[in-house]
Amino acid sequence: MEKKKRNETEQNRKTSVKGVRIRTINLGMLLTASIIYILILYATIHLSLKYEELNIATENYVACVRQAGMVTEASEYLTMKARMYAVDRKIEHAQDYFTEINVTKRREAALEELEKYNGSQEAYDFLKTALENSNALMKKEMYSMKLVAAAMGHDVHEIAGELADIRLTSEDQRLDSEAMLKKAEDMVFNADYQDAKALITSNISYFLNNVVEATRQQRMNNASMMQKIMNTQRVYIGLLFVMSVINLGLIVSLVARPLRVYIRCIKDEKKLPMEGAYEFQYLALTYNHMYNANAENKAALRYKADHDFLTDLINRGGFDQICKSLQMQSKRIALLLIDVDRFKQVNDGNGHRTGDRILKKVAELLKNRFRSKDYVARVGGDEFSIIMMDVGPDMSELIEKKIESINQVLRNPEDGLPEVSLSVGVAFSQNGYTSTLYQNADMALYQVKENGRCGCDFYQG
């Protein structure tokens, strides 16, 4: 029934409008312009594809450099741990070494990640060779660690199973502890070891040079093609400009005058007169219908303007209006300035979505703990304010208990959210909102933060 009524209303609008239709005049121009638009769109899509290829090439380059860095970093890390174990003989260095090999596996992860990118096989082979050389170098490092463990009497099973499987040569087994330690240190510092490290670095450098050259060539090819496409676009845009000038000359007499009238009416917030072409008259009917409906929506819009969209609390603008109105009233009020402690740290560490959930949680706790006649507002990112009506310093203990109960919930979360707390500064006024009330509450809040946060303090004037 409702749908039928709407259809009848729409039909009545159409039949009540008289005038020349602009679309008939513009049909020819529209068809021509559409063809040009399609050509521009085609060129734009082609340009976007080339641009995307350029982005992919750049991303591949960045990824390759990053993965090469991971291989280098992991290899250097293993060398450092092997050398540190050989020098100061602390077992945790050997454990860190095998953690990188068996758990972190940054080198293997880098190589696996590079298989996803469309790089050259030659570049991939260079990095793979670097990893193989690094693995070969690991045998020397592990043997060195085996010597240190034997000399120091370390339990190799406590370090890693791989170390337990290594067998010292009969010659090395006959060495005393000092000789074992000297040989272990020499194995990870001698010239052969340095040459092997240099070979790894060389292969990684070859890999990076190959990637840089391939990326440069692809960028040059794509840039040349993109330039050609943009030149074609300029021609199409020139044709479209000519069509627009012609179209403007045909429409100005039917559109310009009624449009000026409509703009003036809209600025003056008046209904539109029924004049001009058919489309403008129909627009006037629709606008006037919306004009009438708009009055019914103003209350809802005012609510949205005065309330924070995330927490549904009063926003800063609405709070300022409340403060302004309370300047003219001699009422006993309390102003609470509230900061969420360590919110930036939690927000940066856990993401803005978690931060939003914490703000909603704080807002809900404040609404539930305070009275319906108190004004609870979110005045900044993690800043809240409350104006309590008809209260004085005799209610300080009650306010403090409210804040303590909220902090108890926030510091012992059961909903998976990070732990936070509130710092609250409170000031009282016997004459409504005054110019110094905010300063007093802010001074109290400062004292809370100076005393370690997570609490409530009252201004003592």
Side-chain angles (χ1 to χ4, degrees):
M1 187 67 182
E2 183 66 25
K3 182 178 180 180
K4 182 179 179 181
K5 185 176 181 181
R6 287 198 301 269
N7 289 338
E8 289 178 352
T9 302
E10 188 73 12
Q11 188 62 33
N12 290 336
R13 288 184 192 172
K14 291 181 179 180
T15 55
S16 61
V17 175
K18 307 294 181 182
V20 179
R21 295 178 181 269
I22 300 174
R23 64 183 181 184
T24 302
I25 301 174
N26 290 337
L27 184 58
M29 292 293 181
L30 180 60
L31 290 175
T32 306
S34 297
I35 295 173
I36 298 176
Y37 271 120
I38 292 172
L39 294 173
I40 292 176
L41 180 61
Y42 173 79
T44 301
I45 293 173
H46 196 190
L47 184 63
S48 298
L49 292 175
K50 290 299 176 182
Y51 180 76
E52 184 64 25
E53 290 178 6
L54 196 61
N55 278 343
I56 292 173
T58 303
E59 290 174 2
N60 286 349
Y61 169 74
V62 172
C64 289
V65 172
R66 183 170 60 248
Q67 303 312 321
M70 284 180 62
V71 172
T72 302
E73 183 180 346
S75 179
E76 291 299 325
Y77 179 82
L78 293 175
T79 296
M80 177 189 68
K81 288 299 178 180
R83 286 176 169 176
M84 291 178 71
Y85 186 53
V87 173
D88 61 19
R89 295 109 189 190
K90 292 183 179 179
I91 195 171
E92 54 264 29
H93 296 313
Q95 291 171 336
D96 291 343
Y97 181 93
F98 284 99
T99 297
E100 173 64 32
I101 293 174
N102 298 321
V103 180
T104 310
K105 297 181 177 181
R106 284 180 287 179
R107 300 171 308 155
E108 291 81 356
L111 200 63
E112 182 180 346
E113 186 69 19
L114 281 172
E115 293 179 352
K116 302 176 183 179
Y117 299 99
N118 298 322
S120 69
Q121 183 63 38
E122 183 182 6
Y124 177 79
D125 289 342
F126 278 132
L127 195 61
K128 187 176 181 181
T129 301
L131 181 58
E132 291 171 351
N133 292 336
S134 179
N135 289 335
L137 194 61
M138 284 167 49
K139 295 179 180 179
K140 290 185 179 182
E141 295 167 345
M142 289 184 185
Y143 195 88
S144 170
M145 286 190 282
K146 180 71 174 187
L147 288 171
V148 175
M152 299 301 297
H154 291 164
D155 184 359
V156 292
H157 294 284
E158 185 180 348
I159 299 175
E162 293 95 329
L163 206 58
D165 296 336
I166 296 176
R167 295 288 180 267
L168 297 178
T169 65
S170 58
E171 180 183 352
D172 290 338
Q173 290 178 4
R174 290 193 295 271
L175 296 175
D176 58 24
S177 297
E178 184 176 350
M180 283 185 179
L181 292 174
K182 185 176 185 306
K183 182 173 182 178
E185 185 173 342
D186 183 63
M187 286 184 69
V188 293
F189 283 97
N190 61 23
D192 289 341
Y193 186 87
Q194 296 293 345
D195 291 342
K197 290 290 295 180
L199 183 59
I200 295 172
T201 302
S202 176
N203 278 296
I204 292 176
S205 296
Y206 289 146
F207 163 77
L208 289 176
N209 290 337
N210 189 290
V211 170
V212 168
E213 179 58 28
T215 303
R216 186 187 68 82
Q217 188 61 43
Q218 187 169 0
R219 288 173 64 90
M220 288 178 59
N221 293 340
N222 281 17
S224 176
M225 182 60 68
M226 289 171 66
Q227 184 63 46
K228 293 179 181 178
I229 295 173
M230 286 189 290
N231 289 337
T232 303
Q233 279 186 315
R234 292 188 184 98
V235 174
Y236 292 153
I237 292 172
L239 292 175
L240 188 61
F241 173 76
V242 173
M243 291 296 302
S244 299
V245 172
I246 297 173
N247 195 49
L248 178 63
L250 294 174
I251 289 192
V252 66
S253 60
L254 292 174
V255 175
R257 192 184 66 81
L259 185 60
R260 286 196 298 270
V261 173
Y262 285 3
I263 291 174
R264 186 167 58 251
C265 291
I266 291 172
K267 286 183 178 180
D268 296 338
E269 297 185 358
K270 297 178 180 179
K271 292 185 178 182
L272 303 181
M274 295 288 295
E275 60 180 62
Y278 170 89
E279 289 82 359
F280 277 87
Q281 292 189 33
Y282 188 80
L283 175 64
L285 279 178
T286 304
Y287 176 87
N288 293 339
H289 175 73
M290 295 172 61
Y291 181 91
N292 294 330
N294 183 59
E296 300 173 3
N297 296 330
K298 283 187 177 180
L301 292 175
R302 280 196 298 269
Y303 180 87
K304 291 181 179 179
D306 293 337
H307 286 73
D308 176 54
F309 76 96
L310 178 64
T311 62
D312 203 36
L313 296 179
I314 299 169
N315 61 21
R316 184 57 183 258
F319 187 77
D320 289 342
Q321 290 298 321
I322 293 170
C323 293
K324 186 177 181 179
S325 66
L326 289 174
Q327 289 178 345
M328 308 174 185
Q329 304 178 33
S330 298
K331 291 187 176 182
R332 298 167 67 242
I333 65 172
L335 173 63
L336 285 70
L337 298 183
I338 304 167
D339 280 357
V340 181
D341 299 328
R342 299 180 299 278
F343 177 77
K344 186 178 186 303
Q345 176 184 346
V346 172
N347 196 41
D348 293 344
N350 296 273
H352 296 298
R353 184 172 298 178
T354 299
D356 288 346
R357 290 179 61 196
I358 290 175
L359 292 176
K360 290 180 180 179
K361 180 179 180 180
V362 171
E364 191 65 26
L365 288 169
L366 291 175
K367 285 193 292 187
N368 291 339
R369 293 300 194 279
F370 288 85
R371 304 166 299 177
S372 58
K373 68 178 183 178
D374 297 330
Y375 299 102
V376 183
R378 179 189 177 200
V379 296
D382 61 336
E383 299 172 2
F384 298 80
S385 292
I386 300 175
I387 292 181
M388 297 183 66
M389 304 300 297
D390 303 317
V391 296
D394 56 314
M395 294 184 68
S396 298
E397 184 177 352
L398 176 62
I399 295 173
E400 189 169 12
K401 287 182 178 180
K402 289 179 182 288
I403 300 304
E404 288 177 357
S405 68
I406 294 174
N407 275 333
Q408 181 67 21
V409 174
L410 295 175
R411 297 186 68 183
N412 300 278
E414 299 178 354
D415 50 6
L417 290 175
E419 174 187 340
V420 294
S421 60
L422 301 183
S423 294
V424 183
V426 186
F428 297 94
S429 172
Q430 301 293 324
N431 299 300
Y433 189 88
T434 65
S435 58
T436 59
L437 185 61
Y438 182 91
Q439 298 175 2
N440 295 341
D442 191 54
M443 291 174 63
L445 176 60
Y446 176 78
Q447 289 300 319
V448 176
K449 293 182 178 180
E450 284 292 299
N451 293 327
R453 305 178 182 272
C454 186
C456 179
D457 200 0
F458 300 83
Y459 175 77
Q460 304 295 331

